[in-house]
Amino acid sequence: MAIHVDEAHQLFHLQTATTSYIFQVLANGQLGQLYYGSQVHVRPEYANLTKRELKNSMPAYALDQPTYQLDAIKQEYAAFGTGDYHRPAYQVTQTNGSRITDFIYDHYEVKQGKQRLTGFPSTFDDSGDDVETLVIYLHDEVTKLEIALNYTVFPNQDVIVRSATFLNHGTDAVTLNSALSGQLDLPDADYDMVQFSGGWARERHLIRTHLRSGIQAIDSVRGSSSPQQNPFMMLARPETTEDAGGVFGFNLVYSGNFLDQVEVDHYDTTRVLVGINPETFAWQLMPDKSFQTPECVFSYTANGMNQLSQQLATFYSEHLVNSQYVKKERPILVNNWEATYFDFDEEKLLKIVRKAKELGIEMFVLDDGWFGHRDDDHTSLGDWFVDHSKLPNGIGDFAGKVHHLGLQFGLWFEPEMISIDSELYRTHPEWVIHAPDRRMTPGRNQYVLDFSRQEVVDYLYDMMSKVMADTKLDYVKWDMNRYITELFSCSLPVDQQLELPHRYILGVYQLYERLTKAFPDVLFESCASGGGRFDLWMMYYAPQAWTSDDTDAVERIKIQYGTSYGYPQSMMGAHVSVSPNEQIGRYTPLETRANVAFFGAFGYELDISKLSVADSATIQHQVAFYKAHRSVFQFGKLYRITSPFEKDHNVMSWIAVDETKSHAIAVRYQILNRPNAPYLRLKLKGLDPDKQYRVNEGQRTYYGDELMNAGLFLDHNFDGTAGSRKDADFSSRLFLVDEV
Ligand code: GLA
């Protein structure tokens, strides 16, 4: 049993395999948070956790309850304006302008399992995995609003999923000014906030800072979750490492504007809020209507960050990814973007396809430029019909040729966008998001379609499904290459304009929902100028995401390492590209480029029709090697060993271990070489201490405990024979660890 309710004390104790989450109805009928952390025994009450003392100069709840001071009591879903001065979890404006509400506990319900939310990506429980859901109903007497707080406990992965549903049982409309998904009040502030920040081509770099007094937050107002800040965040004790110590993980199942906020108050207590960013949100809640927030994921472990990442990765594959590809090995692809950009014709592409077949590659992906008359990025978005000057016999015919040559076929779309130079814009200029009588701000020479309009979603569905059927498509790369500006919809009334960002993203999901239902066998990869929408709501439909437009192996070391904290490696699209690299001009060995890309959904993104004989042989070998070890690379349990964000940022290493601990692959990347370097040992992780292993098929065997505790001795030295130098700038070494 995961949910324990003590009715006499109105106390709710949610238990996972190793954690406890406890809250209680307070004397004023609101909910108070008591505890979240390592598991504690179930008891009827926790008097020790509810002790209070009088705090000077703070409002009290009532004259006869001087110690009942909301500002000093940890809340479960905090209200605005009645004595708690921390930022609230929600705020409602009534028709008279008042923003004061008083939501009081009404009743609760416990349900087996977890239903999916309708029309909304969400977690689910299809496997009868001991999952239980608790719903707490609160009501406000004056407005007749109800809030249902939904908690689902996933015991096996130590995850609790929260959301809130607002229902208007009154006769007046109200405005939700904010409606966050989850809140966690913690009793102290001795935590480091770990965030994953960056920008285009340098996404999800780890930043770890100790909490300070006041508000610290990461968020997005760009219309997408953004490469600048990722919605995944951790709070870790200062002493917490990869392998030990307490750490909370928070994420939001959402792709729009988000807020992850941490507020430390004057008593060193901490409030975490996660949800839709109130900055660009308001929602008219009419009588008899409801508003559902997206879900947020809370997870805790006392055993360090590797454990947290692993339990989250398992959780997503069991309870979030909706695609049949979640546990299926992903095809090795070649993408023509960095090979040809817009400059291609059928013969050029077929040369790549034929070569791909020879190399053992399994899928060809035709990127941007196959539609309208798109020879550069100024034109044709919205016109999802083939450019006959490039593919004279049509896209279906071309796909047939690719299939005939024995490869799967994938295609690039950017459904949410429109170019001024397009038939779509000439027909429907009003479909662009723009403000009346104002200039429109371009981004990559393009504009954003108003996905809050049903006719826009319908148009895209018709266009895309025609192409998908015509090509018998195997894979879609769904791109999104600019942020939203001039946030205004010509189809929404005055008082609903702030609904646009959320309605936009609901439109995007409607299109995803319809396409994935109509084409269940198609593998979707999401993309937003690389990793600009690398989030859980996308993951629900698209089990892969293009991790970054930066394909340089050295840059990717940090990007993929940072990404691995919150997302499994099977989600990370990772390709070998040309050297010198197109984004950064760096020369790196082909071996290192592959050793970096192996730990993800692997592919190539260079003109393979122009390879030297030697590179061709190397790639053929890499493809065969990846196929032999694909399941460990994509689905092995990942243990981070050496962080490229620590010390001199020069080394990264990690290891992926299969379920039975009989096969593992470790890697060590080195950025710059150092002369006369100290001895080097790589301490592996995740092995069975009692099993014996061989490394790289060598003669010697080692116990797992030896490899983990003493480590593997790594020889720096050049032994005099050609090609024997093990270390150089941008070098890497892979270690196959196999049970004997
Ligand atoms: C974005 C993507 C790239 C490529 C181009 C095509 O930048 O991230 O991978 O598809 O668009 O225009």
Side-chain angles (χ1 to χ4, degrees):
M1 199 165 63
I3 295 171
H4 306 268
V5 181
D6 188 284
E7 298 205 348
H9 296 91
Q10 295 187 311
L11 187 132
F12 303 90
H13 186 152
L14 318 184
Q15 265 191 344
T16 67
T18 74
T19 71
S20 282
Y21 183 104
I22 310 171
F23 62 96
Q24 188 171 28
V25 178
L26 299 169
N28 68 349
Q30 295 180 357
L31 296 179
Q33 154 67 223
L34 296 189
Y35 175 79
Y36 187 26
S38 290
Q39 199 183 81
V40 295
H41 282 94
V42 175
R43 287 161 58 91
E45 50 78 34
Y46 295 87
N48 174 45
L49 294 175
T50 54
K51 289 237 165 63
R52 283 200 273 278
E53 57 193 23
L54 183 66
K55 300 288 184 195
N56 287 333
S57 75
M58 275 225 243
Y61 184 69
L63 288 174
D64 57 351
Q65 296 181 53
T67 63
Y68 199 91
Q69 297 166 299
L70 279 181
D71 205 34
I73 297 174
K74 291 189 290 149
Q75 309 283 316
E76 192 53 21
Y77 197 65
F80 165 79
T82 57
D84 176 2
Y85 291 98
H86 304 81
R87 293 294 185 280
Y90 64 94
Q91 199 189 70
V92 182
T93 305
Q94 300 160 49
T95 39
N96 66 3
S98 162
R99 289 176 294 159
I100 306 307
T101 48
D102 195 8
F103 279 91
I104 298 300
Y105 171 76
D106 196 281
H107 65 288
Y108 77 92
E109 217 182 332
V110 174
K111 306 175 191 173
Q112 283 306 309
K114 164 72 169 66
Q115 299 285 325
R116 287 166 204 250
L117 301 177
T118 39
F120 222 74
S122 67
T123 59
F124 52 79
D125 170 39
D126 291 340
S127 57
D129 201 15
D130 290 340
V131 169
E132 283 183 359
T133 299
L134 168 70
V135 188
I136 303 279
Y137 296 91
L138 311 169
H139 79 275
D140 178 50
E141 199 41 49
V142 174
T143 56
K144 306 280 188 256
L145 284 187
E146 176 182 276
I147 299 178
L149 293 180
N150 312 299
Y151 300 81
T152 300
V153 185
F154 295 89
N156 297 343
Q157 294 90 29
D158 288 311
V159 164
I160 293 170
V161 167
R162 287 189 61 174
S163 75
T165 320
F166 289 76
L167 293 108
N168 189 351
H169 298 300
T171 49
D172 291 335
V174 295
T175 304
L176 301 181
N177 303 319
S178 69
L180 291 153
S181 300
Q183 167 182 339
L184 178 64
D185 282 8
L186 292 163
D188 71 88
D190 191 19
Y191 289 98
D192 291 345
M193 177 168 164
V194 187
Q195 65 191 72
F196 299 90
S197 308
W200 173 77
R202 48 179 174 78
E203 297 88 344
R204 291 172 297 287
H205 282 212
L206 180 150
I207 300 174
R208 182 171 181 162
T209 32
H210 197 60
L211 290 185
R212 54 176 172 73
S213 177
I215 287 176
Q216 40 247 281
I218 49 175
D219 75 345
S220 170
V221 291
R222 292 164 195 272
S224 62
S225 47
S226 93
Q228 282 75 15
Q229 306 293 351
N230 189 273
F232 176 64
M233 167 184 86
M234 300 189 290
L235 287 187
R237 290 298 189 189
E239 65 277 11
T240 297
T241 63
E242 290 293 355
D243 306 308
V247 52
F248 293 98
F250 304 93
N251 209 339
L252 186 65
V253 188
Y254 197 55
S255 291
N257 295 335
F258 76 93
L259 173 70
D260 288 355
Q261 182 169 288
V262 185
E263 180 173 1
V264 175
D265 71 7
H266 53 306
Y267 295 120
D268 276 351
T269 65
T270 300
R271 171 166 298 171
V272 179
L273 290 172
V274 179
I276 296 179
N277 196 342
E279 190 67 36
T280 50
F281 172 85
W283 198 268
Q284 288 285 297
L285 193 58
M286 306 305 281
D288 290 328
K289 294 287 179 202
S290 64
F291 179 82
Q292 172 64 50
T293 73
E295 293 180 337
C296 64
V297 175
F298 286 11
S299 191
Y300 177 79
T301 177
N303 299 319
M305 297 178 189
N306 271 324
Q307 172 60 34
L308 184 76
S309 303
Q310 290 164 5
Q311 67 199 35
L312 287 171
T314 313
F315 173 67
Y316 300 141
S317 79
E318 300 289 327
H319 297 294
L320 177 70
V321 182
N322 199 33
S323 161
Q324 50 157 304
Y325 289 92
V326 58
K327 290 177 188 168
K328 258 197 210 166
E329 292 187 8
R330 313 291 167 67
I332 302 174
L333 62 84
V334 60
N335 178 306
N336 76 308
W337 177 241
E338 287 195 22
T340 66
Y341 296 105
F342 296 103
D343 180 19
F344 59 82
D345 57 21
E346 181 161 317
E347 197 33 49
K348 210 176 194 179
L349 297 181
L350 286 177
K351 266 193 196 152
I352 295 176
V353 178
R354 283 189 215 104
K355 184 69 187 183
K357 183 67 191 166
E358 182 192 319
L359 296 172
I361 292 170
E362 298 155 322
M363 180 156 71
F364 173 71
V365 177
L366 177 52
D367 209 278
D368 196 353
W370 59 269
F371 52 90
H373 60 103
R374 190 159 160 95
D375 295 328
D376 58 42
D377 63 12
H378 285 76
T379 149
S380 301
L381 292 169
D383 294 350
W384 299 108
F385 41 80
V386 74
D387 180 353
H388 284 279
S389 71
K390 286 181 182 158
L391 300 171
N393 303 312
I395 190 74
D397 176 81
F398 178 72
K401 287 178 179 144
V402 176
H403 284 138
H404 183 72
L405 286 167
L407 267 81
Q408 297 175 41
F409 182 57
L411 206 51
W412 181 94
F413 290 93
E414 199 180 357
E416 298 152 68
M417 298 294 150
I418 183 165
S419 309
I420 297 289
D421 177 12
S422 66
E423 286 187 19
L424 183 62
Y425 186 78
R426 285 184 281 277
T427 327
H428 285 296
E430 77 285 5
W431 283 7
V432 180
I433 292 184
H434 71 285
D437 310 322
R438 304 278 172 194
R439 61 183 286 275
M440 298 196 309
T441 303
R444 204 198 185 196
N445 312 303
Q446 65 197 46
Y447 303 87
V448 185
L449 283 166
D450 185 350
F451 261 61
S452 73
R453 300 171 80 120
Q454 188 58 44
E455 62 274 29
V456 171
V457 178
D458 292 344
Y459 167 83
L460 266 316
Y461 178 76
D462 287 348
M463 297 296 271
M464 289 178 72
S465 53
K466 260 186 214 124
V467 176
M468 289 173 75
D470 188 26
T471 52
K472 301 192 173 56
L473 203 59
D474 300 295
Y475 159 108
V476 166
K477 178 175 172 187
W478 180 319
D479 212 338
M480 194 268 188
N481 279 316
R482 62 154 294 177
Y483 313 120
I484 302 178
T485 52
E486 288 83 42
L487 201 59
F488 185 91
S489 172
C490 302
S491 68
L492 285 173
V494 180
D495 49 4
Q496 284 184 278
Q497 284 298 329
L498 267 175
E499 296 180 12
L500 179 57
H502 187 58
R503 287 186 182 276
Y504 173 89
I505 210 75
L506 291 179
V508 172
Y509 294 118
Q510 192 204 120
L511 184 57
Y512 255 116
E513 180 76 26
R514 287 164 68 181
L515 289 171
T516 50
K517 279 240 161 68
F519 301 93
D521 295 333
V522 173
L523 170 63
F524 282 73
E525 175 156 342
S526 74
C527 176
S529 299
R533 217 161 48 178
F534 206 103
D535 58 58
L536 298 183
W537 206 347
M538 280 291 142
M539 195 205 262
Y540 179 78
Y541 293 117
Q544 290 180 201
W546 184 223
T547 313
S548 176
D549 270 353
D550 197 336
T551 56
D552 172 68
V554 173
E555 294 298 306
R556 276 292 187 117
I557 287 172
K558 277 190 172 165
I559 295 170
Q560 293 176 197
Y561 196 90
T563 305
S564 77
Y565 283 87
Y567 305 90
Q569 66 269 30
S570 59
M571 188 176 174
M572 293 187 226
H575 301 170
V576 172
S577 63
V578 78
S579 175
N581 174 264
E582 294 278 296
Q583 292 80 35
I584 201 158
R586 185 180 279 126
Y587 290 81
T588 52
L590 182 52
E591 186 191 18
T592 294
R593 280 176 270 150
N595 286 347
V596 172
F598 279 157
F599 288 82
F602 182 64
Y604 289 85
E605 187 148 346
L606 73 172
D607 192 347
I608 52 172
S609 68
K610 294 191 181 136
L611 293 175
S612 68
V613 174
D615 282 356
S616 190
T618 306
I619 290 184
Q620 206 159 25
H621 173 77
Q622 290 172 347
V623 168
F625 177 81
Y626 186 77
K627 283 179 184 168
H629 302 287
R630 173 160 33 194
S631 73
V632 181
F633 280 128
Q634 294 182 353
F635 303 111
K637 201 179 251 195
L638 196 68
Y639 294 82
R640 290 174 294 267
I641 301 174
T642 318
S643 171
F645 296 103
E646 286 172 8
K647 298 195 176 144
D648 59 359
H649 297 210
N650 202 43
V651 173
M652 186 276 241
S653 59
W654 61 17
I655 183 169
V657 185
D658 79 347
E659 225 173 323
T660 59
K661 301 189 178 194
S662 54
H663 183 46
I665 306 175
V667 70
R668 180 182 189 274
Y669 310 104
Q670 166 178 281
I671 313 235
L672 295 182
N673 199 15
R674 302 270 149 79
N676 196 17
Y679 283 120
L680 199 63
R681 281 184 186 279
L682 180 64
K683 290 187 181 170
L684 304 184
K685 293 183 183 177
L687 303 176
D688 182 334
D690 299 323
K691 280 187 173 165
Q692 292 202 50
Y693 298 92
R694 263 189 234 292
V695 178
N696 286 340
E697 296 170 353
Q699 289 304 307
R700 287 209 43 193
T701 60
Y702 309 85
Y703 276 105
D705 53 11
E706 188 183 344
L707 291 173
M708 293 192 291
N709 298 325
L712 193 64
F713 178 75
L714 304 189
D715 187 356
H716 288 293
N717 295 327
F718 178 55
D719 69 11
T721 52
S724 70
R725 177 170 292 288
K726 297 200 175 67
D727 287 326
D729 290 352
F730 318 134
S731 63
S732 60
R733 303 194 215 177
L734 216 55
F735 304 96
L736 283 184
V737 185
D738 291 302
E739 187 184 351
V740 180

